Amino acid sequence: MPGSRNVMSVAVGLLIVFGVTMPGVAGERVSVDSFRAVDRPFLLWTADEAAELRQRIENDPAARRQYENMQATDIGRGNRTMLNLFNYMVMGDEEAGQRELNNLRGFVGRKPEPMTWDIDLKSLKWNVGMPSAGDSHQRDEQTLNTLRYDVLYHLLTDEERQGVERAMKDYIQFHLDGGLPRHPDFRYDRMSWLPNMHWPRPIGTHLMAVALQDPELILAMFESDGGYKWYLDEYLCEDGFYMEEFGKYYSNIGTMLMYCEALERLNLGQLGYGYTGRGGATMRKHLEMLPRIGYPRLEAVKGGTSRIPALTMGDAGNTGFIGARDAQGRGGSRIWSSSHMNGPLPKLGVPLWYEIGQRRFPDAGFDYFLAQLRMPGEDTYLPSLYWGLEPIAVNQVKPPAPTGGSYASRERGFALLRMDHSPDYWESPRPAVALQFGMYYVHYVHDCFALMQYVAHNRLLYDRMGNTARGYAGGDAWRNHVRGHSGVVVDGLRASPVDRGNHGTPNHRVRTGFEGPVRFTAVQAAGVYPDVNQERAFLLTDQYLFDVFQLSSPRQRTYDWQVLAIGRLQGLDGAPWMPAAEWDKPRKIERPHLTDMHVMHPETADWTAVVLQDEVNPENPRQVGVKIHMLGEEDTLVLGSRPPGIGEDAQGVSVLASRDAPSVVFAVLHEPFEGGAAAAQVANYERIQQTAEALAVRVSGRTGSAVNDRLLFAWGATVDKPVTLSDGEESFTFTGHGFVRIGTDIVDVRGDVKNLVIRVAGNPELRMNDEKVNSNITGGMLRYGI
């Protein structure tokens, strides 16, 4: 009976088997001289670990509950092979073992299939246009048979064992030979190769080599074209970011983790967890990607649990991180997933990744995220027993600081600004926002320079919109366009990326500053639209997002600035709004896909729109929404409409400001509020001065507010040169950007501000980027550098 072998303490086993990972040298050849053969099975559990797990189940009520939960839920139902192997190996269920043994015998004689789908059978020529969609053999991942081979090794006859091993070696050789024949356009690079579809067989074949305990084959797979080394060296960027849209990230993480875990047992950790790619990528960083792109958690429905969203881009669904559950426990994060495009293997989901991650990297905070996956009304998360974790109590976990804090990824082509860099971030009402650059990525949807998501007060305020089902692979003309994002459309054209993505964003200028009470980033590029140079800047504070979008062209253009907000536009039943049917001026207001349109024509005046969200919990109303303040420019036209994919009774609105001119500056203040629009803090938002290449604005709060700010931003040729802006009373000389918050005791200045004159009350001290400096205060005016 497999469950009756000698007991070895799991605690001791973890110290020995899951010990310190051996480091590899970044980007260089790795030796396998440290290889150590071990007894089988070893990929999932050793015999001693299985015996210890059985003792826990038989003697520990908590472990017994975990096991029962595995049997009754998707932990077991989502992958019957894993459950059968566990029941055989740990619980001594011979029938479960025989079922899997019969399946394994069917693998004998199997050969990997070459690519045929993309060949026209009449002409025997390769199809053109979808060069990699026909790689069905790339999705032929045989990891279930690899696991069966390892666990059931001693049940195989010599002949059967040799047959399985021969099939595994055929898969390995097929990969090492290049997976021929290849479509002539197939290549391994960041932008023409899709790991979710094209890496399942290769990474599964890596695991085969490990299961065979053949160090030369292990090394050959590791160093192969499209192998693990290539993936970390060339595909992932410095922070371990997946280079396709993030929604496809999930496909291979589970097998990668199994591969790395098994290498540790063979004393070859330097080929797995211990390997650092040429750009600094590691498996740990790759596993930590979702916390690196995560937003604060959202308000839960009564009796349910919270969703923790993550940065989402591309033409498919939302990036899966921590899914919400309703009061009945429905929802949550997928434990296993499967789809045609990812191959037949059930893929491990977030809960199982993080169970492995918690065991391997206990300092990473994966237990915090696992605790968020508990069922409603419970204070403990029940892990599977596959990786030996005990139940995780909510009151025993501590949240990690958000991975990376605020950052701009020049290789991945986006910036994420977070006001809270502390461990409180995940449950904080403080805001976070993401800005997309003009870089191509696989399943890109023309979202150049778009505001991707904006979260504040534990609500998702802005998001991309469109029909998800029709959006996949560019099928939704709305989403596959900046019209489906919070960006700018020029002359109704689709945006075009200015960088291919294989080498990051060399054709962008990116600026950042993440210290103090403001988070700043700006990105500039020419050519997103023909003959247009554009730059977008975010200055995020706890109270608002200052958003400057500057575009210039040598000729007259139509610029449509848009934000897509979750909620309902307020005040449509009266001035300054009017129904589109009442618009009687010659300027065209029709826009593709927009319905239920209302019009505002502020001309040169500043304007404000209010979006109020529906209540998540009506019995506890919070009245969360956002006020949109925009500084006026000549002949501005504002449209409030319902975007596609948003039903008549659903909450979702497009607020679009249109201007016809060669050059424009959309200077916007997005102000989240809780407690209704009357609770919003900003009382005054106005220009101090604007020139062709710089802008200074004043933001004043209501009585009792901390907001008394001056925001400075330069673009174009002036970004590296001092520029002076003034309204005759206050003045500022700065380079690039600046932020000034005027308090009673402290004037906090950020950025490269050379000199300033501002109105103050009392005798506050002046701090320039945290350094106290001397200033002169006379007649209520503070002077510095003058």
Side-chain angles (χ1 to χ4, degrees), residues 376-400:
E378 299 201 356
D379 58 8
T380 299
Y381 168 73
L382 290 181
S384 75
L385 286 169
Y386 291 146
W387 288 279
L389 292 190
E390 296 181 354
I392 298 172
V394 175
N395 62 4
Q396 297 297 313
V397 299
K398 295 181 179 180

PDB file of all heavy atoms in Angstrom, residues 376-400:
ATOM      1  N   PRO A 376     -17.006  33.014   2.176  1.00  0.00           N
ATOM      2  CA  PRO A 376     -17.672  34.042   2.990  1.00  0.00           C
ATOM      3  C   PRO A 376     -18.073  33.497   4.352  1.00  0.00           C
ATOM      4  O   PRO A 376     -18.489  32.342   4.488  1.00  0.00           O
ATOM      5  CB  PRO A 376     -18.905  34.403   2.158  1.00  0.00           C
ATOM      6  CG  PRO A 376     -18.544  34.039   0.766  1.00  0.00           C
ATOM      7  CD  PRO A 376     -17.661  32.836   0.876  1.00  0.00           C
ATOM      8  N   GLY A 377     -17.911  34.329   5.355  1.00  0.00           N
ATOM      9  CA  GLY A 377     -18.291  33.960   6.709  1.00  0.00           C
ATOM     10  C   GLY A 377     -17.260  33.136   7.441  1.00  0.00           C
ATOM     11  O   GLY A 377     -17.448  32.815   8.619  1.00  0.00           O
ATOM     12  N   GLU A 378     -16.173  32.758   6.770  1.00  0.00           N
ATOM     13  CA  GLU A 378     -15.136  31.962   7.408  1.00  0.00           C
ATOM     14  C   GLU A 378     -13.905  32.828   7.665  1.00  0.00           C
ATOM     15  O   GLU A 378     -13.662  33.814   6.969  1.00  0.00           O
ATOM     16  CB  GLU A 378     -14.766  30.759   6.541  1.00  0.00           C
ATOM     17  CG  GLU A 378     -15.948  29.829   6.306  1.00  0.00           C
ATOM     18  CD  GLU A 378     -15.520  28.432   5.901  1.00  0.00           C
ATOM     19  OE1 GLU A 378     -14.307  28.207   5.733  1.00  0.00           O
ATOM     20  OE2 GLU A 378     -16.408  27.571   5.761  1.00  0.00           O
ATOM     21  N   ASP A 379     -13.149  32.463   8.687  1.00  0.00           N
ATOM     22  CA  ASP A 379     -11.956  33.231   9.034  1.00  0.00           C
ATOM     23  C   ASP A 379     -10.674  32.481   8.684  1.00  0.00           C
ATOM     24  O   ASP A 379      -9.591  32.884   9.071  1.00  0.00           O
ATOM     25  CB  ASP A 379     -11.960  33.606  10.516  1.00  0.00           C
ATOM     26  CG  ASP A 379     -12.044  32.385  11.434  1.00  0.00           C
ATOM     27  OD1 ASP A 379     -11.945  31.243  10.920  1.00  0.00           O
ATOM     28  OD2 ASP A 379     -12.205  32.582  12.649  1.00  0.00           O
ATOM     29  N   THR A 380     -10.826  31.383   7.914  1.00  0.00           N
ATOM     30  CA  THR A 380      -9.680  30.555   7.569  1.00  0.00           C
ATOM     31  C   THR A 380      -9.803  30.106   6.118  1.00  0.00           C
ATOM     32  O   THR A 380     -10.890  29.750   5.655  1.00  0.00           O
ATOM     33  CB  THR A 380      -9.601  29.315   8.482  1.00  0.00           C
ATOM     34  OG1 THR A 380      -9.459  29.745   9.839  1.00  0.00           O
ATOM     35  CG2 THR A 380      -8.416  28.440   8.116  1.00  0.00           C
ATOM     36  N   TYR A 381      -8.673  30.145   5.423  1.00  0.00           N
ATOM     37  CA  TYR A 381      -8.615  29.596   4.072  1.00  0.00           C
ATOM     38  C   TYR A 381      -8.127  28.154   4.144  1.00  0.00           C
ATOM     39  O   TYR A 381      -7.140  27.850   4.825  1.00  0.00           O
ATOM     40  CB  TYR A 381      -7.663  30.417   3.196  1.00  0.00           C
ATOM     41  CG  TYR A 381      -7.334  29.766   1.878  1.00  0.00           C
ATOM     42  CD1 TYR A 381      -8.281  29.710   0.859  1.00  0.00           C
ATOM     43  CD2 TYR A 381      -6.083  29.191   1.650  1.00  0.00           C
ATOM     44  CE1 TYR A 381      -7.992  29.103  -0.363  1.00  0.00           C
ATOM     45  CE2 TYR A 381      -5.782  28.579   0.432  1.00  0.00           C
ATOM     46  CZ  TYR A 381      -6.735  28.547  -0.569  1.00  0.00           C
ATOM     47  OH  TYR A 381      -6.444  27.950  -1.765  1.00  0.00           O
ATOM     48  N   LEU A 382      -8.833  27.272   3.454  1.00  0.00           N
ATOM     49  CA  LEU A 382      -8.452  25.862   3.422  1.00  0.00           C
ATOM     50  C   LEU A 382      -7.674  25.583   2.141  1.00  0.00           C
ATOM     51  O   LEU A 382      -8.267  25.475   1.061  1.00  0.00           O
ATOM     52  CB  LEU A 382      -9.689  24.965   3.474  1.00  0.00           C
ATOM     53  CG  LEU A 382     -10.464  24.909   4.786  1.00  0.00           C
ATOM     54  CD1 LEU A 382     -11.632  23.940   4.646  1.00  0.00           C
ATOM     55  CD2 LEU A 382      -9.562  24.492   5.935  1.00  0.00           C
ATOM     56  N   PRO A 383      -6.352  25.450   2.225  1.00  0.00           N
ATOM     57  CA  PRO A 383      -5.588  25.105   1.028  1.00  0.00           C
ATOM     58  C   PRO A 383      -5.856  23.657   0.636  1.00  0.00           C
ATOM     59  O   PRO A 383      -6.399  22.863   1.405  1.00  0.00           O
ATOM     60  CB  PRO A 383      -4.125  25.280   1.460  1.00  0.00           C
ATOM     61  CG  PRO A 383      -4.163  25.922   2.811  1.00  0.00           C
ATOM     62  CD  PRO A 383      -5.489  25.604   3.399  1.00  0.00           C
ATOM     63  N   SER A 384      -5.452  23.320  -0.584  1.00  0.00           N
ATOM     64  CA  SER A 384      -5.379  21.902  -0.926  1.00  0.00           C
ATOM     65  C   SER A 384      -4.274  21.286  -0.068  1.00  0.00           C
ATOM     66  O   SER A 384      -3.501  21.994   0.587  1.00  0.00           O
ATOM     67  CB  SER A 384      -5.027  21.730  -2.403  1.00  0.00           C
ATOM     68  OG  SER A 384      -3.644  22.015  -2.616  1.00  0.00           O
ATOM     69  N   LEU A 385      -4.188  19.983  -0.103  1.00  0.00           N
ATOM     70  CA  LEU A 385      -3.073  19.303   0.562  1.00  0.00           C
ATOM     71  C   LEU A 385      -1.963  18.940  -0.420  1.00  0.00           C
ATOM     72  O   LEU A 385      -0.987  18.295  -0.046  1.00  0.00           O
ATOM     73  CB  LEU A 385      -3.568  18.039   1.269  1.00  0.00           C
ATOM     74  CG  LEU A 385      -4.355  18.294   2.561  1.00  0.00           C
ATOM     75  CD1 LEU A 385      -5.016  17.007   3.032  1.00  0.00           C
ATOM     76  CD2 LEU A 385      -3.464  18.871   3.653  1.00  0.00           C
ATOM     77  N   TYR A 386      -2.128  19.353  -1.674  1.00  0.00           N
ATOM     78  CA  TYR A 386      -1.151  18.968  -2.689  1.00  0.00           C
ATOM     79  C   TYR A 386       0.256  19.443  -2.337  1.00  0.00           C
ATOM     80  O   TYR A 386       1.238  18.785  -2.659  1.00  0.00           O
ATOM     81  CB  TYR A 386      -1.555  19.523  -4.047  1.00  0.00           C
ATOM     82  CG  TYR A 386      -2.787  18.890  -4.642  1.00  0.00           C
ATOM     83  CD1 TYR A 386      -3.672  19.645  -5.413  1.00  0.00           C
ATOM     84  CD2 TYR A 386      -3.077  17.536  -4.454  1.00  0.00           C
ATOM     85  CE1 TYR A 386      -4.808  19.070  -5.984  1.00  0.00           C
ATOM     86  CE2 TYR A 386      -4.212  16.959  -5.007  1.00  0.00           C
ATOM     87  CZ  TYR A 386      -5.079  17.742  -5.768  1.00  0.00           C
ATOM     88  OH  TYR A 386      -6.195  17.168  -6.314  1.00  0.00           O
ATOM     89  N   TRP A 387       0.339  20.605  -1.708  1.00  0.00           N
ATOM     90  CA  TRP A 387       1.661  21.135  -1.374  1.00  0.00           C
ATOM     91  C   TRP A 387       1.867  21.301   0.126  1.00  0.00           C
ATOM     92  O   TRP A 387       2.733  22.035   0.563  1.00  0.00           O
ATOM     93  CB  TRP A 387       1.907  22.433  -2.148  1.00  0.00           C
ATOM     94  CG  TRP A 387       2.132  22.101  -3.593  1.00  0.00           C
ATOM     95  CD1 TRP A 387       3.291  21.669  -4.153  1.00  0.00           C
ATOM     96  CD2 TRP A 387       1.155  22.075  -4.630  1.00  0.00           C
ATOM     97  NE1 TRP A 387       3.098  21.380  -5.490  1.00  0.00           N
ATOM     98  CE2 TRP A 387       1.803  21.614  -5.806  1.00  0.00           C
ATOM     99  CE3 TRP A 387      -0.203  22.382  -4.690  1.00  0.00           C
ATOM    100  CZ2 TRP A 387       1.131  21.470  -7.027  1.00  0.00           C
ATOM    101  CZ3 TRP A 387      -0.864  22.239  -5.903  1.00  0.00           C
ATOM    102  CH2 TRP A 387      -0.196  21.774  -7.051  1.00  0.00           C
ATOM    103  N   GLY A 388       1.017  20.609   0.891  1.00  0.00           N
ATOM    104  CA  GLY A 388       1.283  20.419   2.305  1.00  0.00           C
ATOM    105  C   GLY A 388       0.964  21.577   3.215  1.00  0.00           C
ATOM    106  O   GLY A 388       1.287  21.519   4.405  1.00  0.00           O
ATOM    107  N   LEU A 389       0.325  22.633   2.728  1.00  0.00           N
ATOM    108  CA  LEU A 389       0.046  23.776   3.603  1.00  0.00           C
ATOM    109  C   LEU A 389      -1.045  23.437   4.600  1.00  0.00           C
ATOM    110  O   LEU A 389      -1.976  22.687   4.310  1.00  0.00           O
ATOM    111  CB  LEU A 389      -0.387  24.984   2.785  1.00  0.00           C
ATOM    112  CG  LEU A 389       0.646  25.654   1.878  1.00  0.00           C
ATOM    113  CD1 LEU A 389       0.088  26.971   1.360  1.00  0.00           C
ATOM    114  CD2 LEU A 389       1.963  25.894   2.594  1.00  0.00           C
ATOM    115  N   GLU A 390      -0.934  24.045   5.774  1.00  0.00           N
ATOM    116  CA  GLU A 390      -1.991  23.956   6.776  1.00  0.00           C
ATOM    117  C   GLU A 390      -2.985  25.097   6.557  1.00  0.00           C
ATOM    118  O   GLU A 390      -2.706  26.043   5.813  1.00  0.00           O
ATOM    119  CB  GLU A 390      -1.377  24.035   8.171  1.00  0.00           C
ATOM    120  CG  GLU A 390      -0.457  22.864   8.490  1.00  0.00           C
ATOM    121  CD  GLU A 390       0.115  22.944   9.893  1.00  0.00           C
ATOM    122  OE1 GLU A 390      -0.128  23.974  10.567  1.00  0.00           O
ATOM    123  OE2 GLU A 390       0.805  21.991  10.312  1.00  0.00           O
ATOM    124  N   PRO A 391      -4.174  25.041   7.177  1.00  0.00           N
ATOM    125  CA  PRO A 391      -5.137  26.134   7.040  1.00  0.00           C
ATOM    126  C   PRO A 391      -4.515  27.487   7.403  1.00  0.00           C
ATOM    127  O   PRO A 391      -3.659  27.570   8.288  1.00  0.00           O
ATOM    128  CB  PRO A 391      -6.258  25.744   8.013  1.00  0.00           C
ATOM    129  CG  PRO A 391      -6.180  24.242   8.060  1.00  0.00           C
ATOM    130  CD  PRO A 391      -4.719  23.918   7.967  1.00  0.00           C
ATOM    131  N   ILE A 392      -4.948  28.523   6.699  1.00  0.00           N
ATOM    132  CA  ILE A 392      -4.380  29.865   6.858  1.00  0.00           C
ATOM    133  C   ILE A 392      -5.438  30.760   7.490  1.00  0.00           C
ATOM    134  O   ILE A 392      -6.469  31.053   6.871  1.00  0.00           O
ATOM    135  CB  ILE A 392      -3.918  30.428   5.504  1.00  0.00           C
ATOM    136  CG1 ILE A 392      -2.812  29.536   4.938  1.00  0.00           C
ATOM    137  CG2 ILE A 392      -3.451  31.863   5.640  1.00  0.00           C
ATOM    138  CD1 ILE A 392      -2.404  29.888   3.520  1.00  0.00           C
ATOM    139  N   ALA A 393      -5.204  31.179   8.720  1.00  0.00           N
ATOM    140  CA  ALA A 393      -6.146  32.038   9.439  1.00  0.00           C
ATOM    141  C   ALA A 393      -5.935  33.497   9.023  1.00  0.00           C
ATOM    142  O   ALA A 393      -4.793  33.969   8.929  1.00  0.00           O
ATOM    143  CB  ALA A 393      -5.960  31.891  10.940  1.00  0.00           C
ATOM    144  N   VAL A 394      -7.031  34.201   8.802  1.00  0.00           N
ATOM    145  CA  VAL A 394      -6.961  35.597   8.368  1.00  0.00           C
ATOM    146  C   VAL A 394      -6.202  36.451   9.365  1.00  0.00           C
ATOM    147  O   VAL A 394      -5.415  37.332   8.985  1.00  0.00           O
ATOM    148  CB  VAL A 394      -8.381  36.155   8.145  1.00  0.00           C
ATOM    149  CG1 VAL A 394      -8.327  37.635   7.811  1.00  0.00           C
ATOM    150  CG2 VAL A 394      -9.089  35.390   7.047  1.00  0.00           C
ATOM    151  N   ASN A 395      -6.403  36.197  10.649  1.00  0.00           N
ATOM    152  CA  ASN A 395      -5.758  37.047  11.657  1.00  0.00           C
ATOM    153  C   ASN A 395      -4.290  36.705  11.880  1.00  0.00           C
ATOM    154  O   ASN A 395      -3.638  37.329  12.719  1.00  0.00           O
ATOM    155  CB  ASN A 395      -6.523  36.985  12.982  1.00  0.00           C
ATOM    156  CG  ASN A 395      -6.561  35.583  13.589  1.00  0.00           C
ATOM    157  OD1 ASN A 395      -5.956  34.651  13.053  1.00  0.00           O
ATOM    158  ND2 ASN A 395      -7.284  35.441  14.684  1.00  0.00           N
ATOM    159  N   GLN A 396      -3.783  35.741  11.134  1.00  0.00           N
ATOM    160  CA  GLN A 396      -2.376  35.364  11.282  1.00  0.00           C
ATOM    161  C   GLN A 396      -1.515  35.812  10.106  1.00  0.00           C
ATOM    162  O   GLN A 396      -0.307  35.567  10.098  1.00  0.00           O
ATOM    163  CB  GLN A 396      -2.260  33.841  11.425  1.00  0.00           C
ATOM    164  CG  GLN A 396      -2.940  33.295  12.676  1.00  0.00           C
ATOM    165  CD  GLN A 396      -2.313  33.814  13.958  1.00  0.00           C
ATOM    166  OE1 GLN A 396      -1.090  33.819  14.110  1.00  0.00           O
ATOM    167  NE2 GLN A 396      -3.151  34.269  14.878  1.00  0.00           N
ATOM    168  N   VAL A 397      -2.122  36.469   9.125  1.00  0.00           N
ATOM    169  CA  VAL A 397      -1.350  36.871   7.945  1.00  0.00           C
ATOM    170  C   VAL A 397      -1.153  38.387   7.942  1.00  0.00           C
ATOM    171  O   VAL A 397      -1.954  39.135   8.504  1.00  0.00           O
ATOM    172  CB  VAL A 397      -2.045  36.443   6.633  1.00  0.00           C
ATOM    173  CG1 VAL A 397      -2.173  34.929   6.578  1.00  0.00           C
ATOM    174  CG2 VAL A 397      -3.406  37.112   6.475  1.00  0.00           C
ATOM    175  N   LYS A 398      -0.085  38.801   7.321  1.00  0.00           N
ATOM    176  CA  LYS A 398       0.212  40.219   7.168  1.00  0.00           C
ATOM    177  C   LYS A 398       0.342  40.541   5.689  1.00  0.00           C
ATOM    178  O   LYS A 398       1.023  39.820   4.949  1.00  0.00           O
ATOM    179  CB  LYS A 398       1.511  40.578   7.896  1.00  0.00           C
ATOM    180  CG  LYS A 398       1.437  40.408   9.404  1.00  0.00           C
ATOM    181  CD  LYS A 398       2.759  40.805  10.066  1.00  0.00           C
ATOM    182  CE  LYS A 398       2.672  40.660  11.577  1.00  0.00           C
ATOM    183  NZ  LYS A 398       3.950  41.030  12.244  1.00  0.00           N
ATOM    184  N   PRO A 399      -0.281  41.629   5.242  1.00  0.00           N
ATOM    185  CA  PRO A 399      -0.171  41.955   3.815  1.00  0.00           C
ATOM    186  C   PRO A 399       1.237  42.402   3.464  1.00  0.00           C
ATOM    187  O   PRO A 399       1.907  43.060   4.272  1.00  0.00           O
ATOM    188  CB  PRO A 399      -1.177  43.099   3.647  1.00  0.00           C
ATOM    189  CG  PRO A 399      -1.291  43.718   4.999  1.00  0.00           C
ATOM    190  CD  PRO A 399      -1.119  42.591   5.977  1.00  0.00           C
ATOM    191  N   PRO A 400       1.697  42.064   2.282  1.00  0.00           N
ATOM    192  CA  PRO A 400       3.004  42.568   1.832  1.00  0.00           C
ATOM    193  C   PRO A 400       2.852  43.979   1.282  1.00  0.00           C
ATOM    194  O   PRO A 400       1.761  44.401   0.889  1.00  0.00           O
ATOM    195  CB  PRO A 400       3.381  41.598   0.714  1.00  0.00           C
ATOM    196  CG  PRO A 400       2.052  41.208   0.122  1.00  0.00           C
ATOM    197  CD  PRO A 400       1.080  41.177   1.283  1.00  0.00           C
TER     198      PRO A 400
END
